[in-house]
Amino acid sequence: GSNVSPVETPQDLLTDCSLIVTTTSSREPLLQLTADYSIKHPLHITCIGSDATGKMELDPKLVANADLLVADCKLVTSERGEFEIALKQLV
């Protein structure tokens, strides 16, 4: 029952999808918060790949602008992935 279609760039997911799941080993944001893209609401993003220091799939500004952030472990989240970078940049 899901609609699946390709996009030109990962960035296009922000405007076209209501659910995004990332599972990469990226060390640079795949999804950026920019003025060029308006985010589709509601949007749920699950990031699985950012499991080590320095890894990130989301722009820290995108994380900082979220309505709700959910983590499986507060301590680990502050040391790894998107939340780690966002916390350091925002503090």
Side-chain angles (χ1 to χ4, degrees), residues 1-88:
S2 297
N3 294 322
V4 179
S5 59
V7 293
E8 293 294 320
T9 69
Q11 196 67 21
D12 293 337
L13 295 170
L14 294 175
T15 59
D16 295 338
C17 297
S18 56
L19 172 64
I20 300 171
V21 179
T22 59
T23 58
T24 74
S25 59
S26 180
R27 294 195 171 272
E28 296 180 10
L30 302 172
L31 300 172
Q32 302 279 341
L33 181 62
T34 68
D36 299 336
Y37 288 86
S38 59
I39 297 173
K40 180 176 182 172
H41 290 281
L43 172 60
H44 173 99
I45 302 174
T46 298
C47 296
I48 299 171
S50 297
D51 58 355
T53 300
K55 287 186 177 181
M56 77 166 84
E57 297 171 314
L58 302 179
D59 179 350
K61 291 180 281 187
L62 187 59
V63 174
N65 281 286
D67 292 329
L68 177 66
L69 299 171
V70 178
D72 54 352
C73 176
K74 190 174 180 180
L75 176 62
V76 172
T77 300
S78 67
E79 298 173 347
R80 302 178 190 161
E82 283 80 20
F83 290 14
E84 169 200 16
I85 305 298
L87 287 170
K88 286 179 181 175

